[in-house]
Amino acid sequence: MNLVSGRRYRLLALAFGLVLLAGCAGMPERVPPGSTRAQIEERLGRPTAEHRLPDGTRLQYSRQPAGAQVYNLDLGPDGRLRRLEQVMDVAWLARIKIGRWNREDLLLHLGRPALVEQVARFDGDIWTYRVIDHVWRRRVHIHLDRAGVVQQVMYTDEPMPDDRTP
């Protein structure tokens, strides 16, 4: 290895390391408990949504529609992180209460959907979120009636790149 290729190798390795480090900075799951809002926003940027809680504030970081994660970072009255939760998980989504949750509950817990659509056989909106079930990419479809109350939750598999029909 000559001097020029050795430098290129070191520069390439340095660039790769910086890319990895930058990627870790945007990972909500690595924010330490007790972090302040300023520390969180320095690390993750501005939240995609913010919600008032009875005893604090929720900062929501959604990767919808392209990604399959929504992170809720709950700050206590002291403004420090007390709970961090990734909610786009089939087990977590089982908490949705049919007939009781409404549009506001979905926004508070899941954020804005990746897609809102309607179909002929349901009188209301269907909010679709991307989710990963173990390693499978799926979609959760939450049916809201005209009053905005959840009436049904169902899942479909997300098409794989090789599932295209000729």
Side-chain angles (χ1 to χ4, degrees):
M1 182 184 302
N2 65 31
L3 182 61
V4 174
S5 64
R7 275 193 190 144
R8 284 186 185 155
Y9 176 76
R10 284 192 300 276
L11 285 174
L12 184 60
L14 177 63
F16 183 71
L18 289 174
V19 167
L20 285 176
L21 185 60
C24 290
M27 298 175 70
E29 59 272 17
R30 295 209 176 159
V31 175
S35 296
T36 65
R37 180 186 184 129
Q39 291 168 326
I40 293 168
E41 288 191 15
E42 180 180 325
R43 187 174 192 142
L44 304 177
R46 295 188 48 82
T48 54
E50 181 176 334
H51 302 278
R52 283 254 151 266
L53 299 174
D55 59 346
T57 304
R58 171 167 291 164
L59 304 179
Q60 201 166 62
Y61 289 87
S62 175
R63 294 188 177 154
Q64 302 286 323
Q69 298 86 15
V70 175
Y71 296 90
N72 290 327
L73 285 75
D74 294 346
L75 308 178
D78 62 354
R80 294 190 171 276
L81 179 64
R82 65 171 181 201
R83 186 174 68 161
L84 183 151
E85 195 170 29
Q86 198 290 111
V87 297
M88 280 298 131
D89 173 88
V90 173
W92 195 99
L93 293 167
R95 299 179 190 179
I96 296 172
K97 304 282 190 254
I98 307 286
R100 293 185 49 206
W101 276 35
N102 60 33
R103 184 176 284 110
E104 290 73 30
D105 294 316
L106 293 176
L107 290 171
L108 172 65
H109 295 290
L110 307 179
R112 296 174 56 92
L115 177 68
V116 176
E117 55 192 338
Q118 297 177 335
V119 295
R121 57 184 191 275
F122 179 74
D123 189 21
D125 291 333
I126 301 171
W127 285 19
T128 299
Y129 296 88
R130 297 180 74 217
V131 61
I132 296 177
D133 182 8
H134 301 286
V135 296
W136 305 107
R137 292 189 170 277
R138 304 195 74 200
R139 294 179 183 163
V140 59
H141 308 279
I142 303 171
H143 295 66
L144 299 159
D145 64 18
R146 285 188 176 253
V149 177
V150 175
Q151 296 301 315
Q152 182 178 13
V153 176
M154 59 187 293
Y155 293 86
T156 58
D157 292 331
E158 192 164 286
M160 299 294 285
D162 59 351
D163 286 349
R164 291 171 284 175
T165 54

